[in-house]
Each structure stands twice: as structure tokens, then as C-alpha cells.
Amino acid sequence: MAGEATNIEPNIESIRIKGTLLGAFSVISSRLSTLQMFSIKATQNDLTLVRVESRNIQKKPFLFMIFKFDKNGIELNYSIGFDSSVKIRRLYVLKSLIAVLSLITDVYEADNTDLLQHLDSAIDDVLGSLTQDYSALFNNYDSLFNKYRELKRLNIELVNSNKNLSVQASLLESESNELKGRLKTLETYTDESLMSIVEEWIDSHGGSIDVNEFAENYKLTPPRVEQILNKMVSLGYIELKG
């Protein structure tokens, strides 16, 4: 359907399907960013997917489909060419929606009853209008439906796998925070222990101390070293040389 079309305005049809937001629209936007045929616009309250399949001679969209997701459902708006089958076009748009939904089942859940009713109605309309052998059409429908069920099963497995990974990540983060806390405790010296270390340093460095060198060696800040030196001077442990 790509390419330029006539400037006759196409018919527009809309469908509303119930749905539930399970995550954030920003996550959905990131997940669907690989779909090059769609442009994406996301806000905190909704997400819109736009696919322009062809334009008229004024370069305006002619054949297009727009999927707008909000927290309670999906609104489908799509155009139908003057020389196209309304029934086949509707089925094609629903098929495209299912392909999108299969990528985001863990963050957005379409109402299966509502979706399948629309899909069933669209397929029924197509079957009733075509002269092709019914058994062949039914086989095509059955194959499509089986693929949909398989995709849904795989998505459920992925959701469960993601939940397990989230639990493991949470445990690892907790262990990491605990280790960081223990490490911070080990790196924190009391005044008494630090004064003892300073005395040993001064004895081994000819009676002098370079604040920056000492601080870097013991992973301390220079102000902390200066503070302990001032305390040692006030207590008479060391004397400042003029």
C-alpha cells in the first residue's frame, strides 16, 4: 500500500477496545521504538502509535492507522481507501494491533473478550463476503488464531520469567546494599584508631606527615585528616614544627 494515492478523501473508521495499563507508557514507548513503521508519542496519560501507509498528492496521509492507548483502553482510528474492502481493511488493522500487543503484554493488557469479539466479527464479515472455499478460509483463520494463542502463551511465560528476574534482581540489590554498608563501616575509623595510625605514620616518615598523601593512602578526605591532627595537637600527642 506504500506510495502516493489519489487526493479523494478516504473513509475513516474507529474501534474502541477495553484495556488496562499495567506499567508505564514510557516503558511501552521504549519497547515499541524498534517498530520502524510506527511513529510514537507518549505522555504520562496515554501513548499514540501512528502508521502512515500512503499519502495523497498533497503529501497528506491517505492510508493510515492510529492506535491510541490510555489507561482504560485502546482507540483505533484508520482510513479505508475508496477502492478497498472495508471488511478486509478492518481485519488487517486488528491484526496489526495484535502484533503490537504481543510485544507489551507485561505492561499493557487488552481485554481479551473485547478484542476477540472484534476479531471474530471482522473475520466473520470477511468469510461471509468472499467466494473462496469456506474450508480454506477457516483453515487460515484457525492457523491465525493458533498463532495468536501460541504468542499469548509465550508472553505469559515471559511475564513469569520477568517476575522471577525481578525478584532475583531485588535480592541482589539488597545484598549489594548490605555489602556497601559493611564496607563503609570498615572504612570508617574512630578518632582513637585514626590517631594511632597517624602516630605510626609520623614515626615511619621522619616525624612528618603529608595530609593529602595520608588521606589518599587511607581513603580519607583531607579535612578529616586535618581534624584529627588538630585534635592530637590539642591533646598534646604531637607538636607542630615552626
Side-chain angles (χ1 to χ4, degrees):
M1 284 187 254
E4 294 189 354
T6 178
N7 61 349
I8 298 176
E9 291 296 323
N11 294 320
I12 307 297
E13 189 171 271
S14 298
I15 296 175
R16 177 77 181 179
I17 297 173
K18 298 175 184 177
T20 303
L21 179 65
L22 304 177
F25 286 117
S26 58
V27 175
I28 298 176
S29 177
S30 177
R31 185 81 60 79
L32 299 181
S33 61
T34 56
L35 299 179
Q36 298 180 357
M37 70 285 292
F38 286 97
S39 60
I40 305 173
K41 180 181 179 181
T43 69
Q44 290 184 343
N45 299 315
D46 56 50
L47 178 141
T48 303
L49 293 178
V50 178
R51 180 180 181 184
V52 177
E53 300 157 272
S54 67
R55 297 178 181 272
N56 61 20
I57 59 176
Q58 285 83 30
K59 303 301 182 183
K60 294 180 180 180
F62 182 78
L63 281 181
F64 61 86
M65 61 180 74
I66 302 172
F67 302 157
K68 185 174 183 179
F69 294 77
D70 59 41
K71 296 178 180 179
N72 300 310
I74 313 163
E75 183 176 336
L76 285 65
N77 290 288
Y78 54 93
S79 62
I80 306 165
F82 68 93
D83 58 349
S84 301
S85 165
V86 174
K87 298 173 182 179
I88 292 179
R89 177 64 173 167
R90 185 183 302 126
L91 183 59
Y92 177 74
V93 170
L94 287 170
K95 176 181 177 295
S96 298
L97 175 65
I98 290 173
V100 171
L101 289 172
S102 70
L103 302 176
I104 57 172
T105 54
D106 56 329
V107 284
Y108 197 96
E109 184 178 74
D111 184 281
N112 282 337
T113 300
D114 204 8
L115 175 61
L116 290 177
Q117 283 179 348
H118 281 290
L119 182 62
D120 182 69
S121 176
I123 292 174
D124 204 39
D125 286 343
V126 172
L127 290 177
S129 62
L130 296 181
T131 58
Q132 183 179 348
D133 181 71
Y134 179 81
S135 62
L137 286 172
F138 181 81
N139 288 337
N140 290 336
Y141 162 72
D142 192 52
S143 175
L144 177 62
F145 188 72
N146 286 336
K147 288 180 181 179
Y148 168 75
R149 288 193 301 181
E150 179 64 15
L151 284 173
K152 187 170 181 62
R153 182 187 66 79
L154 292 174
N155 284 325
I156 292 174
E157 292 180 358
L158 287 174
V159 169
N160 292 333
S161 177
N162 286 336
K163 288 181 180 179
N164 291 333
L165 289 175
S166 296
V167 171
Q168 294 178 25
S170 178
L171 292 174
L172 289 174
E173 183 179 5
S174 178
E175 292 178 2
S176 176
N177 291 334
E178 182 181 351
L179 289 173
K180 288 178 180 177
R182 291 167 62 183
L183 180 60
K184 185 176 181 181
T185 300
L186 292 173
E187 291 179 345
T188 303
Y189 298 97
T190 64
D191 284 3
E192 290 73 17
S193 62
L194 188 53
M195 285 190 288
S196 176
I197 295 172
V198 168
E199 287 181 339
E200 292 178 1
W201 179 280
I202 291 175
D203 289 341
S204 63
H205 289 75
S208 64
I209 181 171
D210 183 300
V211 172
N212 291 327
E213 181 183 0
F214 182 87
E216 181 179 357
N217 190 74
Y218 286 97
K219 310 299 182 188
L220 300 169
T221 62
R224 169 64 171 145
V225 179
E226 292 172 354
Q227 179 261 332
I228 204 66
L229 287 173
N230 289 332
K231 182 175 182 179
M232 293 176 72
V233 170
S234 66
L235 294 174
Y237 290 166
I238 58 175
E239 294 182 358
L240 294 176
K241 296 181 181 180

